[in-house]
Amino acid sequence: MTTIGILGSGHVGSNLAQAAIAHGYDVVLSNSQGPETLAGLVGDLGPRARAATPAEAAAAGDFAIVAIPLTAIDQVPVEPLAGKVVIATINYFPQRYGHVPEIDSGATTAPGLLQAHLPASRVVRAFSMINAAEMSGDGHPAGDPKRRALALAGDDPAAKQLVASLYDEFGFDAVDIGGLDESWRIEAGQPAFVTRQDVAELKANVARARRGA
Ligand SMILES: NC(=O)c1ccc[n+]([C@@H]2O[C@H](COP(=O)([O-])OP(=O)(O)OC[C@H]3O[C@@H](n4cnc5c(N)ncnc54)[C@H](OP(=O)(O)O)[C@@H]3O)[C@@H](O)[C@H]2O)c1
């Protein structure tokens, strides 16, 4: 049995928990306010879900999903995620949360900030470019004309393979767009962001990305 530790249980965390449970995973959910505030969600998700603190969720997961605002990255527990694959759904919305000069300058990216905070983890940007509800509600089997492609980016090949397999299980084709330093190509505002696209369309949209868009 594989357990996914989920940090952030809002729109994204709850929908990915639902998708994970539907595909045979156990999930441990967490948020900033405490496990007791997740009782309703956990009840809805059923016996494969439980709530915990972020540190406990991180420790319990064979791998983790971090689905929190960019501004909360420095609160992510470091030690329990060491050595683990960490999926970052985090996007950069300067209009909402303020500007980060290192992202604006191109020196880093949103998942790059999480990787810098978690130096012993293997961060992969994934599930960042699709609306939360569609993560659990719009997966389709391989070969189905409705099947969508989603991008992933990261610096560790084995971590990216794990995420590509997860995409496939959840009903999406995977497109590897390179390292975390290339992950700005699927950031909010770029052509690939929240676009419904197949593999060829996603690759074309990633190629059309322009810094600062
Ligand atoms: N919404 C989408 O369609 C979508 C799609 C793709 C990617 N994203 C990205 O994914 C991330 C999550 O988006 P969302 O829409 O799910 O946000 P959301 O609904 O506002 O949920 C955010 C979650 O993060 C939790 N959180 C905040 N600080 C935390 C901390 N220090 N430790 C643990 N949990 C913490 C919040 O807990 P409390 O409520 O207890 O504070 C809440 O459960 C964002 O970076 C967003 O840009 C969103």
Side-chain angles (χ1 to χ4, degrees):
M1 188 56 63
T2 303
T3 298
I4 308 178
I6 301 182
L7 287 78
S9 300
H11 297 96
V12 172
S14 60
N15 275 283
L16 286 178
Q18 190 182 329
I21 289 167
H23 293 90
Y25 293 88
D26 285 347
V27 299
V28 181
L29 293 137
S30 64
N31 65 2
S32 76
Q33 297 170 76
E36 62 284 356
T37 64
L38 294 170
L41 174 62
V42 164
D44 290 344
L45 289 169
R48 286 188 183 275
R50 67 180 174 91
T53 66
E56 289 164 348
D62 295 295
F63 63 94
I65 294 170
V66 175
I68 62 173
L70 181 93
T71 46
I73 283 177
D74 60 358
Q75 293 158 38
V76 173
V78 177
E79 191 279 329
L81 292 171
K84 295 183 182 178
V85 174
V86 175
I87 295 173
T89 75
I90 300 166
N91 284 313
Y92 178 47
F93 287 110
Q95 312 85 332
R96 202 178 304 167
Y97 296 111
H99 280 266
V100 177
E102 308 93 289
I103 296 180
D104 290 340
S105 72
T108 190
T109 60
L113 289 178
L114 183 65
Q115 181 67 80
H117 178 72
L118 301 173
S121 303
R122 296 175 285 155
V123 172
V124 179
R125 178 173 237 184
F127 294 108
S128 64
M129 53 179 296
I130 176 173
N131 284 319
E134 296 165 353
M135 297 173 188
S136 60
D138 203 14
H140 302 282
D144 188 316
K146 293 195 291 296
R147 182 154 157 128
R148 307 169 62 160
L150 297 178
L152 61 91
D155 298 333
D156 183 283
K160 291 202 283 191
Q161 186 53 54
L162 182 151
V163 175
S165 297
L166 195 67
Y167 271 167
D168 183 44
E169 285 180 65
F170 286 14
F172 302 99
D173 286 330
V175 173
D176 181 351
I177 66 164
L180 288 179
D181 59 350
E182 290 294 319
S183 69
W184 62 270
R185 293 180 177 276
I186 54 169
E187 188 53 87
Q190 298 293 351
F193 188 72
V194 299
T195 304
R196 196 182 180 86
Q197 54 211 324
D198 63 18
V199 168
E201 291 163 338
L202 174 51
K203 287 180 177 174
N205 282 330
V206 166
R208 289 199 298 123
R210 293 291 173 266
R211 285 253 191 226

